[in-house]
C-alpha cells in the first residue's frame, strides 16, 4: 500500500445525477451547475447498488487512511483531476477530565484542525476545486469568514485556477493574510458574509467567475460528508448518540446526514442515527430561532456578532436542509453566549491539553448547557466537532517575566 494510492487509483465512479434538494428535479452529472432552477442546493446521487460491491469494510482497510479512500462515494471521475494537499483522517480525542467534571460517560472531539490549512474547510474545498478543475472552470470566487477562504486559496493555487475571496472587514487577521499568502486576491468588505456573497453572486451573473459559495455548487457537501463516513468507521461502524456541530452555513451537518444514509444503504451501518445538534452563538442564531418556532426556513439575523467568526452567518442558503436533518434525527438547535465559548476553550486547553477554536469551544459550551437542561443524558456518547486549529486565533498573554541575573527563587517558579 503506497501513501498516494487513493490519489492515483483508477476511479470506478458511480455518480448517476444531481437532484434539487427541494423539488427532487434531476440534473445531468458532468456539467457545471450552481443552484437548481428553484434556487436551492443540488445534491449528488450515486448508484448505491453498484457502490455496495466495491466499497466494503475490507477494501477500506487496505487503503491509505485519507479522505480519498471513499472514492466510490465521491464525485471526481478522473484521478488526474484530484486536487489534494494530503487530507488525512482526523483523530478523535477524548476530553476525559472535562467530561468527568460534567458527568458525561464519554466526551470525544473530532479534531478537524489537523487538516491542510488547519480546518475542516479543506474537505469541502478540496472536493469543490477538484470538480471545478474537472469541469473546466478557470476563475472562481467566494465569500468567507476566514477558514474557507484560506482553503480555497490553497486548493485554487494548487489547481492553477484564478481565485478571488471577499471577507468581512473584521475577519481574523491571520485568515486574511493566509488567503493572500496562498495565492488568492482577497478583499475586505464593510459588511457581513452574506453581503460579501451578494457581491460574488453579482459577479458570477455577469460572467466574471464561477460562484463557489457555500451550497451554491453541489460538491462541497460531498467533501464535508466524509467527516461522517470517517467517524462511523473510527467508532467501529457505529454512530455516537449525539453530535454537536458548529453551524454557520451548515454544509458539514447536511453532508454527514447524507453520508450516514449512504452508509446504511451500503450495509456498513445500521438504521441508528446520532441526534444532530446545530450549535450557534447567541449573537447569531437564526437556526435556533427557526427551530424553536417550528419554521422550515430561517430569517436573516440582524446585527450578527460573536467571537466565533466561522458561525457568524446571518442567512444560510441551506437553512431548510439543516433544520430537516436536526428534526429527522431527533436533535435540536442551541445557542451559547460568547462568555461560555471562551470559558470552554480555556477549560479544554488547561484540563485536557486540547486547544479548541472558538467554534469548537461553542460545541463544548453547548454540550454543557444541553446536559444541564436535560436535552442529553450523562450516559450519552457525545462527539463534538472542533472545526479548526486553535492556533489561528488570538490567545491571552499569561506569561510572566523572569530576570536572568537573579537571584532566582527556583522553588517559587
Amino acid at each position: 500500500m503506497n501513501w498516494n494510492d487513493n490519489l492515483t487509483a483508477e476511479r470506478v465512479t458511480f455518480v448517476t445525477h444531481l437532484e434539487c434538494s427541494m423539488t427532487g428535479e434531476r440534473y445531468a452529472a458532468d456539467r457545471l451547475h450552481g443552484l437548481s432552477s428553484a434556487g436551492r442546493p443540488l445534491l449528488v446521487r450515486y448508484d448505491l447498488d453498484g457502490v455496495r460491491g466495491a466499497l466494503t469494510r475490507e477494501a477500506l482497510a487496505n487503503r491509505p487512511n485519507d479522505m480519498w479512500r471513499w472514492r466510490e462515494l465521491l464525485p471526481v471521475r478522473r484521478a488526474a483531476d484530484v486536487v489534494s494537499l494530503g487530507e488525512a483522517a482526523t483523530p478523535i480525542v477524548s476530553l476525559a477530565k472535562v467530561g468527568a467534571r460534567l458527568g458525561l460517560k464519554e466526551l470525544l472531539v473530532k479534531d478537524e484542525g489537523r487538516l491542510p490549512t488547519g480546518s475542516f474547510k479543506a474537505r469541502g474545498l478540496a472536493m469543490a476545486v477538484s470538480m471545478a478543475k474537472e469541469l473546466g472552470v478557470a476563475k472562481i470566487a467566494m465569500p468567507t469568514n476566514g477558514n474557507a477562504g484560506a482553503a480555497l486559496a490553497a486548493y485554487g493555487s494548487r489547481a492553477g485556477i484564478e481565485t478571488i475571496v471577499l471577507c468581512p472587514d473584521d475577519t481574523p487577521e491571520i485568515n486574511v493574510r493566509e488567503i493572500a499568502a496562498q495565492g488568492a486576491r482577497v478583499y475586505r468588505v464593510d459588511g457581513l458574509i452574506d453581503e460579501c456573497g451578494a457581491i460574488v453572486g453579482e459577479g458570477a451573473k455577469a460572467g466574471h467567475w464561477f460562484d463557489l459559495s457555500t451550497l451554491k455548487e453541489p460538491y462541497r457537501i460531498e467533501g464535508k460528508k466524509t467527516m461522517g463516513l470517517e467517524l462511523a468507521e473510527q467508532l467501529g461502524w457505529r454512530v455516537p448518540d449525539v453530535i454537536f456541530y458548529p453551524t454557520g452555513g451548515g454544509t458539514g451537518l447536511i453532508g454527514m446526514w447524507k453520508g450516514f444514509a449512504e452508509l446504511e444503504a451500503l450495509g456498513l451501518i445500521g438504521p441508528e442515527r446520532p441526534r444532530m445538534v446545530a450549535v450557534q452563538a447567541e449573537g447569531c442564531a437564526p437556526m435556533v430561532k427557526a427551530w424553536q418556532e417550528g419554521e422550515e426556513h430561517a430569517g436573516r439575523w440582524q446585527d450578527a456578532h460573536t467571537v466565533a467568526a466561522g458561525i457568524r452567518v446571518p442567512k444560510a442558503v441551506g437553512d431548510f436542509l439543516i433544520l430537516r436533518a436536526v428534526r429527522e434525527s431527533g436533535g435540536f438547535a442551541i445557542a451559547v453566549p460568547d462568555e461560555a465559548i471562551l470559558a470552554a476553550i480555556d477549560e479544554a486547553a488547561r484540563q485536557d491539553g486540547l486547544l479548541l477554536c472558538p467554534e469548537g469551544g461553542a460545541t463544548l459550551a453547548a454540550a454543557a448547557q444541553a446536559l444541564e437542561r436535560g436535552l442529553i443524558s450523562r450516559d450519552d456518547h457525545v462527539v463534538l466537532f472542533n472545526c479548526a486549529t486553535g492556533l489561528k486565533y488570538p490567545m491571552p498573554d499569561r506569561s510572566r517575566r523572569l530576570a536572568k541575573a537573579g537571584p532566582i527563587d527556583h522553588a517559587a517558579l
Side-chain angles (χ1 to χ4, degrees):
M1 179 170 62
N2 189 286
W3 67 271
N4 69 341
D5 282 352
N6 294 335
L7 305 180
T8 58
E10 287 301 318
R11 312 183 75 77
V12 180
T13 61
F14 296 90
V15 175
T16 56
H17 64 283
L18 307 182
E19 179 181 291
C20 175
S21 55
M22 178 66 81
T23 67
E25 182 183 2
R26 291 170 66 111
Y27 290 76
D30 306 312
R31 296 182 187 174
L32 192 62
H33 295 289
L35 296 174
S36 73
S37 60
R40 301 299 178 187
L42 291 173
L43 301 175
V44 181
R45 297 303 185 194
Y46 300 86
D47 170 15
L48 294 175
D49 288 334
V51 174
R52 189 180 297 115
L55 189 65
T56 63
R57 294 182 184 183
E58 294 71 28
L60 283 165
N62 290 317
R63 295 177 182 177
N65 198 18
D66 66 18
M67 182 180 84
W68 300 96
R69 67 209 303 261
W70 303 96
R71 55 183 175 266
E72 291 87 354
L73 278 179
L74 299 178
V76 183
R77 301 280 199 192
R78 296 181 294 272
D81 292 321
V82 172
V83 182
S84 175
L85 287 164
E87 298 72 34
T90 59
I92 296 174
V93 182
S94 172
L95 290 183
K97 292 178 183 176
V98 176
R101 182 189 68 76
L102 294 174
L104 281 168
K105 183 175 182 179
E106 184 175 63
L107 181 60
L108 304 174
V109 176
K110 185 93 164 93
D111 190 8
E112 295 287 288
R114 317 294 180 94
L115 285 160
T117 72
S119 86
F120 63 180
K121 300 295 186 180
R123 295 182 188 266
L125 272 305
M127 202 63 59
V129 171
S130 293
M131 289 304 298
K133 179 183 176 183
E134 188 159 280
L135 296 171
V137 174
K139 188 174 182 180
I140 52 182
M142 66 174 247
T144 187
N145 274 323
N147 283 317
L152 180 65
Y155 288 101
S157 292
R158 194 161 182 87
I161 297 175
E162 188 178 354
T163 303
I164 297 169
V165 176
L166 275 58
C167 64
D169 252 335
D170 58 353
T171 298
E173 189 65 27
I174 192 167
N175 292 143
V176 179
R177 296 191 182 204
E178 68 177 322
I179 292 168
Q182 292 173 136
R185 296 200 299 281
V186 58
Y187 297 88
R188 305 177 198 250
V189 178
D190 56 344
L192 296 173
I193 189 170
D194 58 337
E195 293 167 316
C196 296
I199 298 171
V200 170
E202 290 164 3
K205 285 180 183 176
H208 295 297
W209 51 62
F210 181 70
D211 187 347
L212 217 72
S213 301
T214 301
L215 295 179
K216 290 188 178 178
E217 57 78 48
Y219 302 110
R220 213 190 301 189
I221 290 178
E222 298 305 293
K224 284 288 194 73
K225 83 179 180 188
T226 62
M227 293 188 295
L229 308 180
E230 197 170 286
L231 180 65
E233 185 187 20
Q234 288 173 319
L235 294 178
W237 299 108
R238 66 178 179 87
V239 295
D241 296 313
V242 191
I243 288 176
F244 284 84
Y245 188 82
T247 305
T251 312
L253 191 152
I254 297 165
M256 284 194 286
W257 194 242
K258 180 177 186 285
F260 292 142
E262 290 170 353
L263 287 179
E264 183 185 358
L266 300 180
L268 294 173
I269 64 171
E272 298 79 14
R273 294 288 187 277
R275 300 195 300 281
M276 306 296 287
V277 180
V279 177
Q280 300 199 295
E282 286 186 352
C284 185
M287 293 303 132
V288 178
K289 185 174 186 291
W291 178 76
Q292 290 172 340
E293 296 176 353
E295 299 289 343
E296 185 180 11
H297 297 281
R300 186 177 190 273
W301 191 270
Q302 299 301 315
D303 188 30
H305 62 279
T306 172
V307 295
I311 53 176
R312 191 184 61 178
V313 178
K315 176 69 175 171
V317 174
D319 54 0
F320 70 103
L321 293 171
I322 297 167
L323 293 165
R324 185 186 298 173
V326 167
R327 290 179 175 132
E328 287 178 358
S329 71
F332 52 92
I334 188 169
V336 292
D338 280 2
E339 296 78 13
I341 292 173
L342 295 173
I345 294 170
D346 188 64
E347 183 179 22
R350 287 173 174 267
Q351 296 299 315
D352 283 298
L354 184 61
L355 186 60
L356 302 173
C357 66
E359 298 78 15
T363 67
L364 176 54
Q369 186 182 119
L371 184 61
E372 186 177 318
R373 290 167 52 185
L375 297 172
I376 63 173
S377 79
R378 299 186 186 281
D379 290 331
D380 280 332
H381 296 274
V382 176
V383 171
L384 316 176
F385 270 80
N386 183 49
C387 56
T389 172
L391 295 172
K392 287 192 177 191
Y393 301 89
M395 289 171 261
D397 183 5
R398 296 194 177 102
S399 64
R400 303 176 189 180
R401 303 294 300 179
L402 183 65
K404 66 182 180 181
I408 295 173
D409 183 354
H410 294 86
L413 296 183

